[in-house]
Every structure is written in structure tokens, then in C-alpha cells.
Amino acid sequence: LSPGLVAHYFDQGDAENVFDTMRQATLAVNAEFIPLMAARTAEMGGRWQAAEDLYLKAYASQMDDIGILRIMADFYVRHAPTAPENAGKAARYLNRILRMANEQEVEQTHPAVMWARTEAAKMLASQGDYQSSVKAEKMLSHAMAVAKEKEAIAGQLADVLAARGDPESRLRAANLFLDLKEETGLTQAGDLRLAQMLFEVGVWNQCKRHMNDVVSRYPRVVCVRPFYIS
């Protein structure tokens, strides 16, 4: 089943094709996936309670499957902005995934575990208090230590640190990117973010040297020179 195809039919108001696609899909997949397909279809159609019931039915039959745990967590994360109680529901599944990693039931680098760490850190950071910020920092630091691609996690960790507002935390955020630059190099976006952080903490000479280096490496990228000028 193509979620994109189902979404297209929903956008077109073509209910007949939605359900016809679902009927065809049920013939082509294992029975265990049918509740998940039906749940996603109900969710895209705005039938939230029906979707939740179907997701829970799928979970009940595969409670120890990390893939199902991620699907459940992701469902509640998606709907937390409109219903805050869903954040607590998501947390239960996120914690279960992280516990599986801590108890060595799955690898620390499993994609679902890495995703759970970053999502849990977002939830903690959004609470706005210092203790939650520290917990988010520890979680993201752990994720960075085992991740192959570190820059996105470093960006999230830098956001957590910068949100505290004190100069020391902002400097630590910049140092994350300075260390990554030395270890693995940065993407163009990462280079520009590092320059912005160095500028904001008032390390102008280091910022200037970094931007001279960036300009030399991206001579044809239109946005780089105006960024330096600004």
C-alpha cells in the first residue's frame, strides 16, 4: 500500500478509491499489517479515535516489536501539538524503546533507538525548566556518542544549550560544532550555523577566520557571501 496514493485519494475526496486501494492491499500483505494500514488510513481521514483503536490493536499483538513501539510513539508525537495528553502517551513508548536498548535487547545504534532519543530530548527540552534541559542534554550527548551522522544531533543539542541563555552554554554549543569541524567536517549549513554561533558569543576573530575558510570552500554558493557581509 502506498500511503501517498491513499493520501492523494483523500485530497481528491475520492473515498471509493481509498477503500478500493485498501482492499487490494489487504490481499498483498500479511494479516499482521492490516490493522496498521487501516489505522494510518483512518488517521489520514481525520478519524482519530478509530485510528488510535486500530494502532492499539496492532500493538497488543506485537508488544515486544521495536518497530511497532516506534509506530505507536510516532502516532502520539504527531498528535501531541493538538492534544497535550498525547505527549505522555508517546513517552511511555519512547521509554520502552530506550529501556530495550539499555537492557541490550536491541543495539544502541538501532534507528528506532536513535529516533527515540532525539524525540524524548525534544519533549524534555520543551518543558522549559533547567532540570529537564539537563536531562535532554545528557540524552543527546549519548546519542551523539554512538551516531555515525552527528551534525543533526549536534544541532538539536546546540538548541538545548542556547535556550538556557547564558554565555557559557552558548559557547559550549559553538564548541560542539568546532569539534565536529575538526573531527568529521561540517555541511555548508553546519558551517554557517557555526559562524552564527561564534558571532553571537562575541568571538569575532575566530568567526572571521571560519567565514574566510567557508567562502574559499564555497566560492559559487550564492548565499555564503551575503551571509558573511551581514
Side-chain angles (χ1 to χ4, degrees):
L1 172 64
S2 168
L5 181 59
V6 173
H8 170 73
Y9 288 142
F10 268 120
D11 290 340
Q12 299 299 314
D14 191 347
E16 182 178 349
N17 266 323
V18 168
F19 292 108
D20 183 59
T21 303
M22 284 293 299
R23 283 193 297 271
Q24 293 179 42
T26 59
L27 300 175
V29 299
N30 294 332
E32 66 190 62
F33 294 115
I34 294 174
L36 292 174
M37 292 192 305
R40 186 62 175 140
T41 302
E43 184 183 356
M44 289 189 292
R47 298 166 56 219
W48 192 91
Q49 189 57 60
E52 183 182 38
D53 291 343
L54 287 163
Y55 279 122
L56 289 170
K57 179 180 178 181
Y59 170 68
S61 64
Q62 304 174 73
M63 297 178 68
D64 294 323
D65 186 293
I66 194 169
I68 295 294
L69 288 167
R70 173 168 177 169
I71 288 170
M72 295 301 300
D74 198 21
F75 170 66
Y76 288 117
V77 165
R78 285 196 298 273
H79 294 280
T82 55
E85 66 272 15
N86 285 330
K89 294 180 180 180
R92 290 199 293 270
Y93 295 102
L94 293 171
N95 289 336
R96 173 66 178 127
I97 293 171
L98 296 175
R99 189 160 58 249
M100 289 175 74
N102 292 338
E103 294 175 359
Q104 300 182 337
E105 296 177 35
V106 294
E107 295 291 332
Q108 293 283 349
T109 54
H110 190 289
V113 176
M114 299 297 291
W115 174 83
R117 283 201 187 99
T118 57
E119 288 299 323
K122 287 177 188 176
M123 292 175 63
L124 286 166
S126 70
Q127 294 180 22
D129 61 281
Y130 182 75
Q131 287 186 337
S132 295
S133 174
V134 170
K135 290 178 182 178
E137 178 188 350
K138 289 180 179 178
M139 194 165 288
L140 291 169
S141 296
H142 189 183
M144 271 194 71
V146 299
K148 293 181 180 178
E149 301 294 332
K150 299 180 184 291
E151 188 173 308
I153 300 173
Q156 188 178 345
L157 179 51
D159 287 340
V160 170
L161 292 170
R164 295 176 188 171
D166 62 283
E168 181 182 352
S169 294
R170 289 182 177 273
L171 184 58
R172 288 177 59 205
N175 284 334
L176 283 173
F177 276 74
L178 284 170
D179 290 343
L180 272 185
K181 181 184 178 182
E182 294 299 320
E183 292 173 11
T184 61
L186 296 170
T187 64
Q188 176 194 317
D191 275 321
L192 296 182
R193 175 152 192 192
L194 172 57
Q196 185 68 42
M197 289 190 291
L198 290 171
F199 178 77
E200 289 174 354
V201 297
V203 192
W204 169 243
N205 287 334
Q206 192 171 11
C207 176
K208 182 179 178 181
R209 289 195 300 272
H210 175 65
M211 278 307 303
N212 283 331
D213 175 57
V214 173
V215 169
S216 70
R217 287 189 285 113
Y218 299 103
R220 298 182 182 277
V221 177
V222 175
C223 67
V224 171
R225 290 180 185 274
F227 183 87
Y228 192 8
I229 291 168
S230 71

